[in-house]
């Protein structure tokens, strides 16, 4: 969507309902019948917003500012979502950047930051846990990352 010549915007919303319609249960045990259980790594809701703004500069080049927000509700890393240790928390990330493109459009210098607010989410590692021993493996979301890039287009 381009509300003005200089402003571009995008909005995404998704609602997903996932579940096993059938499940081949090799043990036959009722406790391992996952029909109706949600699929792993599928949040029920996701949303995203992007805004970008172009600023022409007197030499004919362009400065571009952009910002993005991404959100997703909780999901699970396994097909047994009743275990708190397999739950991914709801997550929100903010990214931002600025770039300069030369008048001939060949060179672009950009500076961007991912996870600008440095949100720190504890994320389960699928298969890295042994409940009988009380051991659970976790990872963490990527920290704030700043990227400086110089690009040349032929």
């Amino acid at each position: 969507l381009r509300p003005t010549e200089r402003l571009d915007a995008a909005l995404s919303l998704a609602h997903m309902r996932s579940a096993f319609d059938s499940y081949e249960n090799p043990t036959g045990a009722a406790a391992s019948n996952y029909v109706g259980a949600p699929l792993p790594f599928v949040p029920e809701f996701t949303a995203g917003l992007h805004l970008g703004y172009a600023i022409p500069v007197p030499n004919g080049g362009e400065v571009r500012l952009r910002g993005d927000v991404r959100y997703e509700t909780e999901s699970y890393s396994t097909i047994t979502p009743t275990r708190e240790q397999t739950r991914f928390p709801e997550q929100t990330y903010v990214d931002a950047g600025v770039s300069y493109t030369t008048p001939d459009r060949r060179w672009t210098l950009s500076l961007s930051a991912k996870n600008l607010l440095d949100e720190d989410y504890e994320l389960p590692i699928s298969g890295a846990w042994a409940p009988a021993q009380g051991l659970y493996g976790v990872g963490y979301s990527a920290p704030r990352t700043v990227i400086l890039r110089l690009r040349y287009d032929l």
Side-chain angles (χ1 to χ4, degrees), residues 10-16 44-49 71:
L11 176 66
S12 65
L13 300 169
H15 176 243
M16 297 170 278
E44 186 175 0
F45 292 99
T46 61
L49 173 65
Y71 168 79

Side-chain angles (χ1 to χ4, degrees), residues 112-126:
S112 61
K114 293 187 172 283
N115 191 9
L116 185 64
L117 304 178
D118 204 22
E119 294 293 340
D120 191 22
Y121 298 104
E122 190 174 280
L123 308 173
I125 299 173
S126 184

